Amino acid sequence: MIEMSGWESGAVEDFTEQELRHSIAEADSPAWRVRAAAGRRLAAAPRIESVAGVLHRLLLDAQDTGVTSETAAALLARRDLAGLRAVLAARAVASDEGTADQLAAELDCDPRWANGEGGVELIAQLRTLTSDSDPEVRNEALLRLSGLR
């Protein structure tokens, strides 16, 4: 079944409805490489809130941490609050140790840490997320910030 809840035609500007449906369908593929590619494509959508449920499933992929890694890296590469929030939300609820570790590694290896300006941007986003409406996102942001001290 294709998950389209919360999606409205035209909501994801760079995708036609057919491309969006195709990417969402591929998120259920038995092949990890196909799921990872779907995660990368969906993470690049201008409004990821429209496909947040699918991205969350891919971030918590129970079959292969490669899917988790590829999707998380693509979301963090957005360099925006929505992408970071999606990764923090998944990290906060990850019950599988391998998945939780992979999400933490992607957060720790975010390329923005490599330069001063990017690190400042990332810290500002984490501070913003400490006031998020989701308590798990708030707690994960606070945990990340406390690790910087």
Side-chain angles (χ1 to χ4, degrees):
M1 177 171 160
I2 297 176
E3 180 181 328
M4 293 291 289
S5 61
W7 184 80
E8 300 172 15
S9 182
V12 181
E13 298 159 18
D14 284 356
F15 286 90
T16 65
E17 185 171 347
Q18 182 179 0
E19 290 169 331
L20 182 68
R21 287 184 183 276
H22 180 72
S23 293
I24 291 170
E26 285 189 339
D28 291 326
S29 171
W32 78 268
R33 290 177 197 260
V34 174
R35 291 193 313 278
R40 287 190 307 271
R41 283 193 310 276
L42 293 170
R47 293 190 46 216
I48 61 168
E49 298 84 3
S50 301
V51 291
V54 178
L55 285 167
H56 191 75
R57 266 191 304 116
L58 292 167
L59 287 166
L60 298 174
D61 191 277
Q63 298 172 17
D64 198 298
T65 57
V67 177
T68 299
S69 176
E70 296 274 336
T71 304
L75 284 164
L76 294 172
R78 295 171 58 91
R79 296 180 65 131
D80 67 1
L81 202 58
L84 177 59
R85 185 186 188 285
V87 177
L88 290 176
R91 173 63 181 90
V93 299
S95 58
D96 176 76
E97 187 176 339
T99 300
D101 288 348
Q102 190 63 51
L103 289 165
E106 294 301 332
L107 286 160
D108 292 342
C109 295
D110 187 314
R112 290 181 285 179
W113 291 124
N115 67 49
E117 185 178 312
V120 170
E121 170 189 281
L122 189 53
I123 290 168
Q125 288 176 349
L126 286 169
R127 286 189 178 134
T128 298
L129 290 170
T130 63
S131 300
D132 194 82
S133 61
D134 182 338
E136 292 174 331
V137 171
R138 282 195 311 262
N139 290 339
E140 195 62 34
L142 285 167
L143 180 67
R144 295 264 142 213
L145 284 171
S146 70
L148 299 176
R149 298 175 189 173

